[in-house]
Amino acid sequence: MTVDHLNQFLLEVSVILLVAVVAVRVSTRSGLPSLLIYLGIGVALGQNGVGISFNNAELTQVLGYAALVVILAEGGLKTRWQEIKPVMPAATVLATVGVAISVFVTAAGAHWLVGLDWRTSLLLGAIVSSTDAAAVFSVLRMVPLPKRLTGLLEAESGFNDAPVVILVVAFATAGELDPWYVLVGTILVELIVGAAVGYTVGRLGAYGVRRVALPSSGLYPIAVLALIVLAYAGGALLHSSGFLAAYIASVVLGNAKLPHGPAVRGFADGLAWIGQIGMFVVLGLLCTPATMRSAVVPALVVGAVLVFVARPASVLLTMTPFRIPWREQALLSWAGLRGAVPIVLATIPLVAGVAAAQQVFNVVFILVVVFTLLQGPTLPLVARRLRIGEGDLGQDLDIESAPLEKLHGHLLSVALARGSRISGVEVSELRLPKGAAVTLVVRDGSSFVPDKATVLREGDELLVVTTDEVGEAAERRLRAVDKGGKLAGWLYGR
């Protein structure tokens, strides 16, 4: 590649990224899922548009896997353990048993209504039965749902990629299928090993990152992302679920109160956006609309079975034992959003050379586009009709901790988000532990040194200096006041 070719390539990539960034704004205002706009960009650049010829399914699969790791990392780093802990059993069952129910119900519909053979029907059912982490993470954060439902949906989308990948690989492999009990055993072993790898890497990584004072704050996000990728690669090399390992490692790291936590999450958020944009554009390039006409009717039929029969059946059969109310079950059924994951998984049979691979890819592509367009924008309406929601939810308190190694202390940067109950509290009423003090308040672009009677407001940013011994205690106290007001934990620090 010459320098001129490189310059041309960089120009094209920068234009695509800028168009994609504008598309996010358009999608936010219109309610149209941004993934459809990215897919549209890819299709427009492809053979039936600008004319870029691209048919490398193997490269698409590799790029898709890489993007999914980054997307799972971003979602896991922002997942609060307190929110998903109560629903972990339900999420695990929904992501495993629920996936199995969805696969077989969808496969039955594809076999009896579309006329596909059982092997192809099972392959198609497995591909489309995984909810998409990127779609779920992005849409749910704009819908004010109860934390139990949000945690359940986020945990499910983070967990269910693993069993689905195993099933898709099994159904796409040439030769006789293994007996069902062998498949179930393989899935369980891979999930257990993957979870162990992710937890181990997350805990050891958090221990190391907290205790190694790096010379630049910009190195912390790189170290955390490297640990998550390490978990994925380690899990995959051990023939276990690398995706589950990456997600669990990111959840552990995201809840470990690492130095420069907001910077780490911001870095992961930017990479996740790049991953989504690149993945959807490449998937759009791989699509050839002229060959998809024959797949429209099968896609609509299979999608209808998936959305209106298979997903509700899987939710009903797995969530009823957990006493989930019917209204919440209905919302869980409608919120099973598909996105890039099924399209990426549809490249597995293409790479494996399965006879019906192109037909499966076309059906999956159309299904994802149509039913994402149907479910995504209507999710807030469905939530309102079911009378499920918590109104205008406030955001979690954003605290960034920077170690002051030579001074044996920490500097906490605290941003008071909308809805924070610290608003209206005097500095003295924070009752921070001895060894911690609010040293600066930034308000409306100006900064000042507060006194004990200074009343804090929404939008303020506080700088809190603490000694090493009380750093974590001060952070716990700030989060307690953020949630419970100045009377939270009245006996604390008495």
Side-chain angles (χ1 to χ4, degrees), residues 301-321:
V301 172
V302 173
V305 172
L306 172 67
V307 172
F308 298 109
V309 182
R311 174 69 178 182
S314 66
V315 170
L316 176 66
L317 294 175
T318 57
M319 295 296 98
T320 299

Side-chain angles (χ1 to χ4, degrees), residues 337-349:
L337 304 175
R338 272 70 194 174
V341 171
I343 304 179
V344 172
L345 295 180
T347 63
I348 293 177

Side-chain angles (χ1 to χ4, degrees), residues 180-386:
W180 68 268
Y181 51 85
V182 174
L183 281 177
V184 172
T186 301
I187 291 173
L188 290 177
V189 170
E190 293 198 14
L191 293 181
I192 292 171
V193 176
V197 170
Y199 182 78
T200 301
V201 172
R203 287 300 298 268
L204 294 178
Y207 179 86
V209 171
R210 283 201 302 263
R211 284 159 177 77
V212 176
L214 299 176
S216 171
S217 61
L219 294 175
Y220 285 93
I222 296 174
V224 171
L225 265 294
L227 287 167
I228 295 171
V229 174
L230 175 65
Y232 169 79
L237 290 175
L238 290 175
H239 302 287
S240 65
S241 174
F243 289 120
L244 183 60
Y247 182 69
I248 290 182
S250 62
V251 171
V252 173
L253 289 164
N255 287 270
K257 298 178 181 177
L258 302 178
H260 303 288
V264 171
R265 292 189 291 273
F267 181 74
D269 187 52
L271 284 184
W273 276 113
I274 293 176
Q276 289 185 56
I277 294 168
M279 178 171 56
F280 288 127
V281 170
V282 171
L283 290 172
L285 283 171
L286 195 63
C287 161
T288 307
T291 66
M292 290 191 165
R293 294 177 183 176
S294 61
V296 172
V297 173
L300 295 178
V301 172
V302 173
V305 172
L306 172 67
V307 172
F308 298 109
V309 182
R311 174 69 178 182
S314 66
V315 170
L316 176 66
L317 294 175
T318 57
M319 295 296 98
T320 299
F322 292 97
R323 299 181 179 180
I324 303 294
W326 73 266
R327 284 191 177 90
E328 295 186 6
Q329 289 191 27
L331 188 64
L332 285 172
S333 299
W334 194 248
L337 304 175
R338 272 70 194 174
V341 171
I343 304 179
V344 172
L345 295 180
T347 63
I348 293 177
L350 284 174
V351 175
V354 175
Q358 190 60 54
Q359 180 187 14
V360 169
F361 181 85
N362 291 344
V363 168
V364 171
F365 193 96
I366 295 172
L367 185 156
V368 167
V369 170
V370 172
F371 287 92
T372 300
L373 185 59
L374 173 65
Q375 291 175 273
T378 59
L379 185 57
L381 174 62
V382 171
R384 288 196 298 270
R385 290 294 178 90
L386 292 171

